[in-house]
Amino acid sequence: MSNIPTPHNSAKQGDFAKTVLMPGDPLRAKYIAETYLEQPRQVTAVRNMLGYTGTYKGKEISVMGAGMGMPSIGIYSYELFHFYDVENIIRIGSAGALQDSLHLMDVVIGMGACTDSNYAYQYGLPGTFAPIADYGLLSRAVEIAKKQGTPVAVGNILSSDVFYNLCPDANDKWRSMGVLAVEMEAAALYMNAARAGKKALCMFTISDHIYRPEALSAADRQLGFSKMMEIALELA
Ligand code: ADE
């Protein structure tokens, strides 16, 4: 395939598994590969956006950083879907809670992704596209979580273009629509998957609460993250 390597990914054809887990932080990708995968090998490191392939319970699986924001995950996921024949991307990230019922370390799955971004402009659609998770991945993730005894909140999340939102009531409005949490990548991933005819799912651990002054300790962050990882690895 003449499109690879790309300006952003130095992996060769066949270097990626059919399923790729994508945390935002490339060092998290390295940690996951070294902690959970058997015989992990690094397949790309362009701009230090590290990617690895190994096996989990005998099945080949990859993990690669996606960076922060929709343009970043947009580039990496587009190339994985279109140039590296990847079929499934599972984002494993963090999100800020918008609802009182959510607490730090809770696991949230994004069934749909609202957005304040103009990412869908590129498709020239005559209306508003609703970015959604793949139902097969979503329903299996919920089943796995149930078996593992991990409660999950499933619903709409917000993919925002801004972390520091200067519009004073923006969060209140999304919260009033029942949106569970805010992050910065899912909508672009869901749209890329839809356009490519591929599958995507986004899950998050709650790392902060927009309406309560709470923050995770390093140990809690790791524990919350591990529970989400266990769901993602079984799913992959
Ligand atoms: N990811 C984790 N917390 C977030 C927040 N408060 N806003 C946007 N993305 C986030």
Side-chain angles (χ1 to χ4, degrees), residues 94-96 162-163 182-184 207-208 210:
S94 61
V162 282
F163 185 89
V182 53
E183 56 85 64
M184 302 184 74
S207 59
D208 53 288
I210 305 298

Side-chain angles (χ1 to χ4, degrees), residues 91 93-97 158-160 162-164 171 181-185 204-210 221:
R91 165 159 154 69
S94 61
L158 168 65
S159 299
S160 179
V162 282
F163 185 89
Y164 300 104
N171 286 326
V182 53
E183 56 85 64
M184 302 184 74
E185 292 84 18
F204 313 94
T205 44
I206 295 299
S207 59
D208 53 288
H209 202 295
I210 305 298
R221 192 178 280 267

